[in-house]
Amino acid sequence: MDREESKYLIPVNVSTRFEIIEGIGMYEIKIIFIATIVGLAIYKILGFFPVISSMVQAFAIIIPIAGAFLMVKKEPSTGLSILYFLKSRREYMKNQKLYLYRQGDLY
């Protein structure tokens, strides 16, 4: 009786969450949508002042959207975003640190 071996193909780099674009999921789309609403609100507010040009108003929409996109876009090599890094840094800075040192000479 010959023993047949089964070979299983194991996929690599499979994401467990739904991503519309690589690194951009539903959470990131929500943040970008909120930034769009903020940009449109700034655009409308700047529209009340006649001395402000339409180019400045256009940048009032573009800058929040681009900033939000860059903050939430995950880096492909690490899988981390700038927003996640800033949150992790804030949590690290809130925790108490223990510095082990010896009093006196180094040698």
Side-chain angles (χ1 to χ4, degrees):
M1 181 186 264
D2 290 345
R3 186 174 177 186
E4 293 184 24
E5 292 186 23
S6 300
K7 292 188 178 184
Y8 297 104
L9 300 176
I10 301 172
V12 180
N13 298 331
V14 176
S15 179
T16 58
R17 63 185 208 134
F18 176 70
E19 294 182 344
I20 298 169
I21 303 170
E22 186 176 348
I24 303 284
M26 292 307 293
Y27 173 74
E28 291 83 5
I29 292 293
K30 288 177 188 175
I31 291 177
I32 293 171
F33 182 71
I34 292 169
T36 304
I37 292 172
V38 169
L40 289 173
I42 293 172
Y43 174 80
K44 286 292 189 183
I45 291 170
L46 291 177
F48 292 124
F49 302 105
V51 293
I52 297 176
S53 69
S54 61
M55 184 63 80
V56 173
Q57 290 177 335
F59 277 115
I61 295 175
I62 294 171
I63 290 175
I65 296 171
F69 178 78
L70 293 175
M71 291 291 282
V72 299
K73 176 82 169 93
K74 292 188 177 188
E75 178 67 31
S77 61
T78 61
L80 302 175
S81 66
I82 296 172
L83 186 64
Y84 177 78
F85 174 74
L86 292 174
K87 285 181 182 178
S88 298
R89 184 179 182 278
R90 187 179 70 206
E91 288 296 320
Y92 174 77
M93 296 304 285
K94 285 190 335 188
N95 292 336
Q96 185 176 1
K97 311 309 183 283
L98 175 64
Y99 297 105
L100 302 175
Y101 62 92
R102 195 172 13 165
Q103 200 168 13
D105 288 337
L106 295 174
Y107 301 103

